[in-house]
């Protein structure tokens, strides 16, 4: 698609193109600078952090030493945090996607009493800020005896009204009702129809919801901060933030390299997911909002 | 033989499958609905209930009606936080959404080298957790070994002070803009790509200039999307927590325990153990979010109607 009234052969087109590309390069520099900075910093010794320029390598290449420091600090708690993040995010992602998909399937392919009202309530919940719920959630999981256990973070996170909304629009489009009726005539049970016919057709949408929920829970901070307290239950975001806040005080200088290198390690999984599954990711984020 | 035995079975089977069809949606819905009620609806009403009570040294917990809300209305700390959010939103929202729209229009213009690279690269910060983004920017801003200080020193310029009462707000806004501008760009870009090519041909025929085509055709066509993003971004801004909560380590004098309403609610609950007042504050904040998104939707519905 060319811009109105200009063709790629005209001089003004080439001038505009170069100017716009230059502008985009500026924005890309802005986008990449912090990431480049943290990558470079993770290769520096603590002394180099203070004495060498932030956007270039230091005098020594200390990445391996830093990694060893990160993973050894405080009885190797960092690997526990990483593992926690992985387990929590995977459980939440798969759980939330299954719950959302089942619910969305009911909303999309069945008629039942109260359907419109329930769907309206679920849709309205998309607008509820999670933070308004954190204090009562904390008291609730405390009274249930779940506080400071993984479930206190996992169970509430599995409720994803946005996932339901996303899956419903996906199922509406990708699973034809005629196919379900045909399977019924053939005598297939409702659950068999779901698993062996409908679910296969909605698999791409399902993967998107898994991916989005994985990233959201990996990146979540407020809820785990509140409901998890003992060090060995924390996800990596909360743990690393704790180290960072320690480092802010006096005598915390040794923590600089550790936190910077820890930051690199903790974003690697999400960035890898991002690069390899960008199609699902972008698709999921845009489905909901473009249609509205 | 088989015919005779099969025949009476059929209607029975039909009836059972009708039943199955009626019951199945409840089975599919139940797991989500149970967790939805337990972890979303119940906490919501629990928060409302909490906000009507107060715990006192003598006499324990007692019903105080709307007293906590009355207290919030006259609480200088709460209003300072609200005011700060307002200043923050008035800067962060237009800059972030404006930049996102501009970037999306450039991507959509088809006049770019390496479009796929730019789209991916600008979206990359969204993959970085908020907390990690905040701490990286904290180091970048930092006076001890931050590159901004280094550059200023190198050129003999005065060191930038990003952590005083006036600049902190923009330092925080920048972190949030950095994280989300690519996300909103992707949403705008998808909406722009959905505009049929016919519109452009019509614009060419009627002799429209590029900027006229953008302002009079493209932008009105993606108005619905812009509205949704304004709502999302407003909800996000009202919940501001992680960025200032982390930067507090660097500037404890500026980022107080009531810097934003959310930080205030957090500290009230988990430092002061005043859950009742904290719930009232959270509830006011949640109500503001609900009203804001409702008003936006109402305005847009009215516009569509005209």
């Amino acid at each position: 698609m060319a811009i109105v009234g200009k063709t790629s052969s005209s001089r003004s087109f080439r001038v505009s193109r170069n100017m716009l590309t230059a502008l985009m390069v500026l924005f890309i520099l802005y986008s990449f600078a912090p990431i480049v900075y943290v990558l470079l910093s993770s290769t520096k010794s603590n002394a180099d952090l203070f004495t060498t320029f932030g956007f270039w390598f230091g005098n020594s290449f200390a990445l391996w030493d830093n990694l060893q420091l990160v993973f050894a600090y405080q009885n190797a708690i960092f690997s526990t945090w990483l593992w926690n993040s992985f387990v929590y995010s995977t459980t939440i992602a798969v759980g939330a996607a299954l719950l959302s998909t089942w619910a969305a399937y009911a909303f999309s392919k069945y008629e039942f009493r109260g359907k419109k009202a329930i769907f309206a309530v679920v849709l309205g919940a998309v607008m509820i800020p999670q933070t308004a719920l954190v204090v009562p959630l904390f008291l609730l999981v405390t009274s249930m005896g779940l506080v400071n256990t993984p479930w206190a973070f996992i169970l509430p996170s599995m409720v994803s009204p946005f996932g339901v909304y996303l899956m419903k629009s996906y199922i509406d489009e990708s699973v034809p009702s005629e196919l379900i009726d045909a399977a019924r005539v053939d005598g297939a049970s409702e659950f068999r129809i779901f698993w062996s016919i409908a679910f296969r057709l909605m698999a791409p949408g399902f993967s998107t919801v898994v991916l989005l929920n994985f990233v959201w829970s990996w990146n979540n901070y407020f809820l785990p901060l509140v409901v998890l307290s003992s060090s060995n239950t924390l996800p990596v975001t909360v743990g690393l933030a704790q180290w960072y806040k320690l480092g802010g005080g006096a005598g915390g200088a040794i923590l600089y390299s550790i936190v910077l290198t820890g930051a690199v390690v903790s974003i690697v999984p999400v960035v890898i997911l991002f690069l390899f599954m960008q199609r699902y990711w972008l698709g999921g984020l845009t489905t909901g909002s473009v249609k509205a | 033989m088989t015919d005779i035995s099969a025949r009476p079975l059929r209607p029975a089977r039909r009836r059972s499958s009708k039943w199955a069809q009626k019951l199945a949606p409840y089975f599919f819905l139940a797991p989500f609905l149970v967790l939805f009620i337990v972890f979303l609806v119940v906490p919501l009403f629990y928060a409302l209930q909490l906000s009507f009570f107060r715990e006192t040294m003598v006499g324990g917990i007692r019903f105080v009606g709307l007293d906590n809300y009355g207290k919030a209305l006259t609480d200088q700390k709460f209003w300072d936080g609200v005011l700060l959010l307002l200043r923050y939103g008035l800067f962060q929202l237009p800059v972030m959404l404006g930049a996102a729209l501009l970037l999306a229009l450039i991507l959509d213009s088809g006049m770019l080298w390496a479009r796929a690279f730019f789209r991916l690269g600008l979206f990359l910060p969204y993959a970085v957790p908020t907390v990690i983004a905040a701490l990286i920017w904290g180091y970048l801003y930092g006076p001890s070994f931050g590159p901004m200080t280094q550059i200023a020193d190198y050129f003999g310029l005065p060191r930038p002070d990003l952590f005083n009462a006036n600049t902190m707000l923009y330092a925080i806004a920048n972190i949030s803009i950095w994280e989300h501008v690519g996300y909103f760009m992707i949403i705008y870009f998808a909406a722009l790509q959905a505009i049929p090519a016919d519109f452009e041909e019509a614009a060419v025929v009627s002799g429209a200039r590029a900027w006229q085509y953008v302002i009079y055709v493209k932008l009105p066509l993606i108005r619905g999307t812009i509205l949704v993003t304004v709502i999302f971004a407003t909800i996000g801004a009202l919940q501001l927590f992680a960025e200032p909560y982390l930067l507090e380590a660097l500037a404890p004098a500026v980022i107080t325990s009531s810097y934003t309403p959310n930080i205030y609610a957090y500290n009230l609950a988990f430092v002061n153990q005043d859950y009742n007042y904290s719930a009232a504050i959270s509830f006011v904040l949640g109500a503001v979010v609900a009203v804001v998104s409702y008003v936006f939707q109402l305005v847009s519905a009215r516009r569509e109607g005209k």
Side-chain angles (χ1 to χ4, degrees):
Chain A
M1 222 169 61
I3 207 156
V4 178
K6 287 181 182 172
T7 50
S8 53
S9 56
S10 76
R11 190 175 165 274
S12 66
F13 180 94
R14 269 178 284 135
V15 171
S16 320
R17 175 164 69 184
N18 290 338
M19 275 170 57
L20 292 179
T21 307
L23 189 65
M24 288 304 252
V25 168
L26 283 180
F27 271 101
I28 278 284
L29 289 177
Y30 172 65
S31 266
F32 284 0
I35 296 170
V36 169
Y37 171 73
V38 76
L39 285 173
L40 285 170
S41 299
S42 70
T43 69
K44 291 185 186 181
S45 68
N46 218 38
D48 279 354
L49 277 180
F50 287 88
T51 52
T52 61
F53 181 52
F55 283 104
W56 197 244
F57 290 98
N59 300 320
S60 56
F61 190 85
L63 177 62
W64 308 122
D65 300 335
N66 286 337
L67 283 172
Q68 279 174 352
L69 273 175
V70 170
F71 281 98
Y73 192 65
Q74 286 186 351
N75 301 319
I77 192 79
F78 190 76
S79 49
T80 310
W81 292 343
L82 269 183
W83 175 247
N84 288 345
S85 273
F86 178 75
V87 173
Y88 299 166
S89 307
T90 310
T91 317
I92 290 167
V94 175
L98 272 178
L99 295 181
S100 310
T101 304
W102 286 332
Y105 183 68
F107 285 127
S108 176
K109 295 300 165 198
Y110 289 98
E111 290 305 323
F112 55 92
R113 208 178 267 262
K115 172 171 148 171
K116 272 193 177 162
I118 300 174
F119 189 63
V121 170
V122 172
L123 211 59
V126 174
M127 297 295 179
I128 296 176
Q130 198 203 29
T131 48
L133 297 174
V134 164
V135 171
L137 259 179
F138 167 78
L139 296 170
L140 191 77
V141 294
T142 307
S143 68
M144 291 166 113
L146 294 176
V147 80
N148 205 16
T149 70
W151 298 113
F153 172 39
I154 291 173
L155 289 176
S157 303
M158 278 192 188
V159 182
S160 169
F162 187 68
V164 176
Y165 171 58
L166 213 67
M167 276 317 285
K168 183 175 178 294
S169 19
Y170 197 83
I171 295 171
D172 283 345
E173 271 174 31
S174 65
V175 183
S177 298
E178 299 79 27
L179 204 64
I180 294 172
D181 287 334
R184 279 191 190 126
V185 172
D186 287 344
S189 77
E190 298 296 317
F191 294 98
R192 178 124 187 252
I193 293 171
F194 175 82
W195 284 113
S196 46
I197 300 169
F199 189 70
R200 284 171 197 202
L201 293 171
M202 57 177 98
F206 183 81
S207 318
T208 301
V209 177
V210 170
L211 180 71
L212 287 175
N213 277 296
F214 184 91
V215 175
W216 288 333
S217 13
W218 187 278
N219 294 358
N220 198 345
Y221 177 66
F222 198 25
L223 185 60
L225 172 75
V226 167
V227 296
L228 302 173
S229 50
S230 56
S231 198
N232 56 6
T233 62
L234 300 182
V236 71
T237 46
V238 181
L240 206 59
Q242 232 173 43
W243 280 356
Y244 177 73
K245 291 202 130 198
L246 277 178
I254 184 67
L255 272 172
Y256 287 144
S257 324
I258 292 182
V259 171
L260 282 162
T261 312
V264 171
V265 176
S266 68
I267 58 177
V268 163
V270 226
V271 170
I272 288 175
L273 270 181
F274 167 76
L275 291 175
F276 285 94
M277 301 185 77
Q278 41 158 317
R279 190 158 306 187
Y280 289 114
W281 201 337
L282 300 179
L285 289 178
T286 50
T287 309
S289 40
V290 173
K291 275 192 187 156
Chain B
M1 185 70 186
T2 45
D3 267 351
I4 295 161
S5 62
R7 233 167 228 174
L9 264 177
R10 271 228 168 129
R13 205 188 212 187
R14 270 255 166 102
R15 212 175 303 135
S16 80
S17 80
K18 270 265 144 52
W19 264 108
Q21 215 173 310
K22 277 200 164 164
L23 284 174
Y26 297 106
F27 279 100
F28 283 123
L29 204 54
F32 173 81
L33 220 52
V34 168
L35 288 193
F36 181 79
I37 290 167
V38 173
F39 292 109
L40 208 142
V41 179
V42 169
L44 201 64
F45 284 98
Y46 189 31
L48 190 64
Q49 192 207 339
L50 274 174
S51 69
F52 292 140
F53 288 83
R54 186 174 292 163
E55 205 174 342
T56 46
M57 287 294 191
V58 278
I61 299 162
R62 61 189 176 90
F63 182 80
V64 293
L66 293 171
D67 272 16
N68 285 321
Y69 293 95
K71 189 178 165 191
L73 286 180
T74 54
D75 186 344
Q76 191 60 40
K77 284 183 172 176
F78 175 65
W79 285 109
D80 284 349
V82 171
L83 207 68
L84 183 114
L85 277 191
L86 202 68
R87 279 168 53 211
Y88 172 82
L90 285 176
F91 173 75
Q92 190 251 6
L93 259 85
V95 172
M96 176 177 71
L97 296 180
L101 192 57
L102 178 70
L103 292 169
L105 284 166
I106 295 175
L107 280 183
D108 184 58
S109 73
M111 299 181 66
L112 218 55
W113 300 104
R115 182 165 88 169
F117 164 76
F118 285 119
R119 193 177 63 144
L120 199 63
L122 291 169
F123 184 55
L124 187 64
Y126 185 69
V128 177
T130 312
V131 174
I132 308 293
L135 69 84
I136 296 175
W137 277 102
Y139 285 122
L140 279 168
Y141 295 149
S144 47
F145 59 89
M148 293 190 185
T149 309
Q150 289 177 335
I151 292 171
D153 284 354
Y154 183 81
F155 289 106
L157 297 166
R159 290 179 168 192
D161 179 11
L162 295 158
F163 294 148
N164 69 41
N166 294 317
T167 50
M168 180 55 94
L169 196 65
Y170 302 100
I172 293 171
N174 174 55
I175 301 175
S176 167
I177 292 170
W178 178 77
E179 271 218 276
H180 297 108
V181 72
Y183 166 76
F184 288 108
M185 176 197 77
I186 293 289
I187 290 178
Y188 291 143
F189 179 63
L192 288 169
Q193 291 275 292
I195 296 174
D198 316 9
F199 284 99
E200 193 180 337
E201 278 162 32
V204 174
V205 170
S206 57
R209 289 175 165 274
W211 63 267
Q212 287 172 324
Y213 176 59
V214 165
I215 290 181
Y216 297 111
V217 182
K218 281 185 172 180
L219 292 184
L221 281 171
I222 64 163
R223 203 175 54 200
T225 304
I226 294 176
L227 186 81
V228 172
T229 56
V230 170
I231 295 177
F232 279 5
T234 308
I235 295 176
L238 287 169
Q239 296 190 75
L240 186 64
F241 177 82
E243 295 92 340
Y245 185 70
L246 253 88
L247 292 184
E248 190 257 341
L250 300 170
V254 174
I255 299 182
T256 58
S257 63
S258 58
Y259 191 69
T260 71
N262 228 342
I263 290 184
Y264 192 31
Y266 174 84
N267 282 317
L268 280 173
F270 301 108
V271 179
N272 301 6
Q273 250 89 46
D274 186 353
Y275 299 117
N276 302 93
Y277 189 41
S278 171
I281 297 273
S282 305
F283 222 82
V284 171
L285 198 63
V288 170
V289 171
V291 169
V292 165
S293 40
Y294 184 71
V295 167
F296 272 124
Q297 276 164 341
L298 210 67
V299 169
S300 80
R302 209 168 265 176
R303 277 208 177 155
E304 305 282 308
K306 267 184 189 171

